[in-house]
mmCIF file of all heavy atoms in Angstrom:
data_model
loop_
_atom_site.group_PDB
_atom_site.id
_atom_site.type_symbol
_atom_site.label_atom_id
_atom_site.label_comp_id
_atom_site.label_asym_id
_atom_site.label_seq_id
_atom_site.Cartn_x
_atom_site.Cartn_y
_atom_site.Cartn_z
ATOM 1 N N GLY A 59 5.229 -17.749 -7.555
ATOM 2 C CA GLY A 59 3.910 -18.040 -7.027
ATOM 3 C C GLY A 59 3.083 -18.659 -8.135
ATOM 4 O O GLY A 59 3.625 -19.169 -9.123
ATOM 5 N N GLN A 60 1.792 -18.560 -7.989
ATOM 6 C CA GLN A 60 0.921 -19.093 -9.033
ATOM 7 C C GLN A 60 0.855 -18.095 -10.181
ATOM 8 O O GLN A 60 0.328 -17.005 -10.044
ATOM 9 C CB GLN A 60 -0.477 -19.335 -8.478
ATOM 10 C CG GLN A 60 -1.405 -20.046 -9.435
ATOM 11 C CD GLN A 60 -2.749 -20.375 -8.807
ATOM 12 O OE1 GLN A 60 -3.058 -19.909 -7.714
ATOM 13 N NE2 GLN A 60 -3.529 -21.171 -9.491
ATOM 14 N N ARG A 61 1.420 -18.412 -11.290
ATOM 15 C CA ARG A 61 1.485 -17.584 -12.515
ATOM 16 C C ARG A 61 2.335 -16.328 -12.352
ATOM 17 O O ARG A 61 2.462 -15.542 -13.288
ATOM 18 C CB ARG A 61 0.091 -17.136 -12.997
ATOM 19 C CG ARG A 61 -0.689 -18.156 -13.760
ATOM 20 C CD ARG A 61 -1.753 -17.529 -14.662
ATOM 21 N NE ARG A 61 -2.650 -16.644 -13.945
ATOM 22 C CZ ARG A 61 -2.794 -15.356 -14.242
ATOM 23 N NH1 ARG A 61 -2.099 -14.794 -15.197
ATOM 24 N NH2 ARG A 61 -3.648 -14.621 -13.548
ATOM 25 N N VAL A 62 2.874 -16.072 -11.190
ATOM 26 C CA VAL A 62 3.710 -14.886 -10.990
ATOM 27 C C VAL A 62 5.093 -15.268 -10.489
ATOM 28 O O VAL A 62 5.245 -16.241 -9.749
ATOM 29 C CB VAL A 62 3.054 -13.876 -10.018
ATOM 30 C CG1 VAL A 62 1.778 -13.301 -10.604
ATOM 31 C CG2 VAL A 62 2.803 -14.508 -8.663
ATOM 32 N N THR A 63 6.061 -14.465 -10.912
ATOM 33 C CA THR A 63 7.437 -14.631 -10.460
ATOM 34 C C THR A 63 7.996 -13.254 -10.159
ATOM 35 O O THR A 63 7.796 -12.318 -10.935
ATOM 36 C CB THR A 63 8.304 -15.294 -11.552
ATOM 37 O OG1 THR A 63 7.756 -16.571 -11.872
ATOM 38 C CG2 THR A 63 9.744 -15.453 -11.080
ATOM 39 N N VAL A 64 8.680 -13.120 -9.046
ATOM 40 C CA VAL A 64 9.356 -11.872 -8.729
ATOM 41 C C VAL A 64 10.852 -12.121 -8.790
ATOM 42 O O VAL A 64 11.342 -13.136 -8.282
ATOM 43 C CB VAL A 64 8.927 -11.306 -7.357
ATOM 44 C CG1 VAL A 64 9.130 -12.301 -6.241
ATOM 45 C CG2 VAL A 64 9.656 -10.006 -7.060
ATOM 46 N N LEU A 65 11.546 -11.212 -9.442
ATOM 47 C CA LEU A 65 12.994 -11.271 -9.547
ATOM 48 C C LEU A 65 13.593 -10.050 -8.866
ATOM 49 O O LEU A 65 13.099 -8.934 -9.042
ATOM 50 C CB LEU A 65 13.423 -11.301 -11.018
ATOM 51 C CG LEU A 65 12.945 -12.483 -11.849
ATOM 52 C CD1 LEU A 65 13.403 -12.312 -13.299
ATOM 53 C CD2 LEU A 65 13.435 -13.798 -11.288
ATOM 54 N N LEU A 66 14.640 -10.278 -8.113
ATOM 55 C CA LEU A 66 15.315 -9.198 -7.403
ATOM 56 C C LEU A 66 16.782 -9.175 -7.801
ATOM 57 O O LEU A 66 17.482 -10.184 -7.650
ATOM 58 C CB LEU A 66 15.179 -9.396 -5.887
ATOM 59 C CG LEU A 66 15.926 -8.413 -4.986
ATOM 60 C CD1 LEU A 66 15.406 -6.987 -5.181
ATOM 61 C CD2 LEU A 66 15.793 -8.822 -3.524
ATOM 62 N N ASN A 67 17.229 -8.051 -8.302
ATOM 63 C CA ASN A 67 18.632 -7.868 -8.649
ATOM 64 C C ASN A 67 19.191 -6.766 -7.758
ATOM 65 O O ASN A 67 19.004 -5.575 -8.026
ATOM 66 C CB ASN A 67 18.776 -7.498 -10.135
ATOM 67 C CG ASN A 67 20.222 -7.422 -10.570
ATOM 68 O OD1 ASN A 67 21.116 -7.111 -9.779
ATOM 69 N ND2 ASN A 67 20.467 -7.717 -11.825
ATOM 70 N N LYS A 68 19.868 -7.178 -6.710
ATOM 71 C CA LYS A 68 20.360 -6.207 -5.729
ATOM 72 C C LYS A 68 21.534 -5.393 -6.267
ATOM 73 O O LYS A 68 21.794 -4.282 -5.818
ATOM 74 C CB LYS A 68 20.746 -6.914 -4.442
ATOM 75 C CG LYS A 68 19.552 -7.549 -3.722
ATOM 76 C CD LYS A 68 19.945 -8.223 -2.438
ATOM 77 C CE LYS A 68 20.707 -9.511 -2.666
ATOM 78 N NZ LYS A 68 19.864 -10.548 -3.314
ATOM 79 N N THR A 69 22.231 -5.932 -7.239
ATOM 80 C CA THR A 69 23.387 -5.238 -7.795
ATOM 81 C C THR A 69 22.968 -3.920 -8.446
ATOM 82 O O THR A 69 23.625 -2.893 -8.292
ATOM 83 C CB THR A 69 24.108 -6.117 -8.810
ATOM 84 O OG1 THR A 69 24.513 -7.337 -8.179
ATOM 85 C CG2 THR A 69 25.318 -5.401 -9.379
ATOM 86 N N VAL A 70 21.861 -3.986 -9.194
ATOM 87 C CA VAL A 70 21.377 -2.779 -9.880
ATOM 88 C C VAL A 70 20.108 -2.246 -9.233
ATOM 89 O O VAL A 70 19.465 -1.343 -9.784
ATOM 90 C CB VAL A 70 21.144 -3.056 -11.387
ATOM 91 C CG1 VAL A 70 22.458 -3.370 -12.062
ATOM 92 C CG2 VAL A 70 20.152 -4.196 -11.588
ATOM 93 N N LYS A 71 19.738 -2.800 -8.089
ATOM 94 C CA LYS A 71 18.553 -2.353 -7.344
ATOM 95 C C LYS A 71 17.307 -2.353 -8.229
ATOM 96 O O LYS A 71 16.641 -1.321 -8.417
ATOM 97 C CB LYS A 71 18.804 -0.993 -6.709
ATOM 98 C CG LYS A 71 19.837 -1.067 -5.574
ATOM 99 C CD LYS A 71 20.048 0.253 -4.870
ATOM 100 C CE LYS A 71 20.849 1.183 -5.725
ATOM 101 N NZ LYS A 71 21.227 2.435 -5.001
ATOM 102 N N HIS A 72 17.009 -3.517 -8.752
ATOM 103 C CA HIS A 72 15.911 -3.671 -9.693
ATOM 104 C C HIS A 72 15.031 -4.843 -9.271
ATOM 105 O O HIS A 72 15.530 -5.891 -8.850
ATOM 106 C CB HIS A 72 16.480 -3.904 -11.103
ATOM 107 C CG HIS A 72 15.433 -3.991 -12.156
ATOM 108 N ND1 HIS A 72 14.884 -5.192 -12.548
ATOM 109 C CD2 HIS A 72 14.834 -3.027 -12.903
ATOM 110 C CE1 HIS A 72 13.990 -4.970 -13.491
ATOM 111 N NE2 HIS A 72 13.951 -3.670 -13.736
ATOM 112 N N LEU A 73 13.749 -4.623 -9.407
ATOM 113 C CA LEU A 73 12.739 -5.617 -9.044
ATOM 114 C C LEU A 73 11.809 -5.778 -10.239
ATOM 115 O O LEU A 73 11.457 -4.775 -10.889
ATOM 116 C CB LEU A 73 11.964 -5.085 -7.840
ATOM 117 C CG LEU A 73 11.052 -5.977 -7.026
ATOM 118 C CD1 LEU A 73 11.850 -7.012 -6.275
ATOM 119 C CD2 LEU A 73 10.251 -5.121 -6.044
ATOM 120 N N SER A 74 11.407 -6.996 -10.531
ATOM 121 C CA SER A 74 10.438 -7.173 -11.607
ATOM 122 C C SER A 74 9.387 -8.188 -11.204
ATOM 123 O O SER A 74 9.628 -9.073 -10.380
ATOM 124 C CB SER A 74 11.122 -7.603 -12.899
ATOM 125 O OG SER A 74 11.627 -8.916 -12.777
ATOM 126 N N LEU A 75 8.229 -8.017 -11.818
ATOM 127 C CA LEU A 75 7.105 -8.940 -11.632
ATOM 128 C C LEU A 75 6.775 -9.529 -12.987
ATOM 129 O O LEU A 75 6.510 -8.776 -13.927
ATOM 130 C CB LEU A 75 5.888 -8.212 -11.062
ATOM 131 C CG LEU A 75 4.627 -9.049 -10.923
ATOM 132 C CD1 LEU A 75 4.798 -10.096 -9.818
ATOM 133 C CD2 LEU A 75 3.406 -8.174 -10.632
ATOM 134 N N GLN A 76 6.805 -10.832 -13.093
ATOM 135 C CA GLN A 76 6.455 -11.504 -14.325
ATOM 136 C C GLN A 76 5.130 -12.218 -14.117
ATOM 137 O O GLN A 76 4.976 -12.962 -13.150
ATOM 138 C CB GLN A 76 7.546 -12.494 -14.723
ATOM 139 C CG GLN A 76 8.904 -11.840 -14.955
ATOM 140 C CD GLN A 76 9.988 -12.831 -15.312
ATOM 141 O OE1 GLN A 76 9.755 -14.035 -15.379
ATOM 142 N NE2 GLN A 76 11.192 -12.326 -15.536
ATOM 143 N N ILE A 77 4.204 -11.985 -15.031
ATOM 144 C CA ILE A 77 2.904 -12.644 -14.991
ATOM 145 C C ILE A 77 2.809 -13.526 -16.228
ATOM 146 O O ILE A 77 2.898 -13.025 -17.356
ATOM 147 C CB ILE A 77 1.748 -11.628 -14.972
ATOM 148 C CG1 ILE A 77 1.912 -10.656 -13.811
ATOM 149 C CG2 ILE A 77 0.407 -12.358 -14.872
ATOM 150 C CD1 ILE A 77 0.886 -9.519 -13.812
ATOM 151 N N ALA A 78 2.638 -14.798 -16.013
ATOM 152 C CA ALA A 78 2.538 -15.739 -17.128
ATOM 153 C C ALA A 78 1.104 -15.830 -17.621
ATOM 154 O O ALA A 78 0.152 -15.741 -16.835
ATOM 155 C CB ALA A 78 3.022 -17.114 -16.688
ATOM 156 N N ALA A 79 0.958 -16.000 -18.933
ATOM 157 C CA ALA A 79 -0.360 -16.195 -19.540
ATOM 158 C C ALA A 79 -1.358 -15.161 -19.019
ATOM 159 O O ALA A 79 -2.372 -15.493 -18.399
ATOM 160 C CB ALA A 79 -0.851 -17.610 -19.287
ATOM 161 N N THR A 80 -1.045 -13.902 -19.255
ATOM 162 C CA THR A 80 -1.840 -12.799 -18.720
ATOM 163 C C THR A 80 -3.302 -12.910 -19.143
ATOM 164 O O THR A 80 -3.611 -13.208 -20.292
ATOM 165 C CB THR A 80 -1.257 -11.458 -19.177
ATOM 166 O OG1 THR A 80 0.160 -11.474 -18.977
ATOM 167 C CG2 THR A 80 -1.843 -10.320 -18.380
ATOM 168 N N GLN A 81 -4.182 -12.648 -18.183
ATOM 169 C CA GLN A 81 -5.619 -12.756 -18.413
ATOM 170 C C GLN A 81 -6.274 -11.395 -18.240
ATOM 171 O O GLN A 81 -5.731 -10.517 -17.561
ATOM 172 C CB GLN A 81 -6.215 -13.736 -17.401
ATOM 173 C CG GLN A 81 -5.598 -15.120 -17.462
ATOM 174 C CD GLN A 81 -6.001 -15.987 -16.270
ATOM 175 O OE1 GLN A 81 -6.740 -15.557 -15.385
ATOM 176 N NE2 GLN A 81 -5.502 -17.213 -16.245
ATOM 177 N N PRO A 82 -7.463 -11.188 -18.812
ATOM 178 C CA PRO A 82 -8.148 -9.892 -18.637
ATOM 179 C C PRO A 82 -8.330 -9.509 -17.173
ATOM 180 O O PRO A 82 -8.267 -8.329 -16.820
ATOM 181 C CB PRO A 82 -9.497 -10.124 -19.334
ATOM 182 C CG PRO A 82 -9.187 -11.127 -20.397
ATOM 183 C CD PRO A 82 -8.172 -12.057 -19.778
ATOM 184 N N GLY A 83 -8.506 -10.495 -16.308
ATOM 185 C CA GLY A 83 -8.648 -10.226 -14.880
ATOM 186 C C GLY A 83 -7.380 -9.711 -14.225
ATOM 187 O O GLY A 83 -7.420 -9.265 -13.075
ATOM 188 N N ASP A 84 -6.275 -9.759 -14.944
ATOM 189 C CA ASP A 84 -5.023 -9.216 -14.419
ATOM 190 C C ASP A 84 -4.931 -7.705 -14.629
ATOM 191 O O ASP A 84 -4.012 -7.063 -14.104
ATOM 192 C CB ASP A 84 -3.818 -9.886 -15.088
ATOM 193 C CG ASP A 84 -3.704 -11.361 -14.767
ATOM 194 O OD1 ASP A 84 -4.076 -11.763 -13.639
ATOM 195 O OD2 ASP A 84 -3.256 -12.130 -15.645
ATOM 196 N N SER A 85 -5.862 -7.156 -15.393
ATOM 197 C CA SER A 85 -5.853 -5.711 -15.636
ATOM 198 C C SER A 85 -6.049 -4.967 -14.324
ATOM 199 O O SER A 85 -7.021 -5.190 -13.602
ATOM 200 C CB SER A 85 -6.968 -5.331 -16.612
ATOM 201 O OG SER A 85 -6.737 -5.887 -17.884
#
Side-chain angles (χ1 to χ4, degrees):
Chain A
Q60 187 175 10
R61 280 203 306 120
V62 295
T63 301
V64 56
L65 299 177
L66 175 63
N67 185 331
K68 294 181 288 294
T69 302
V70 295
K71 291 183 286 187
H72 184 268
L73 193 68
S74 69
L75 176 69
Q76 300 178 359
I77 305 174
T80 313
Q81 302 168 0
D84 295 327
S85 295

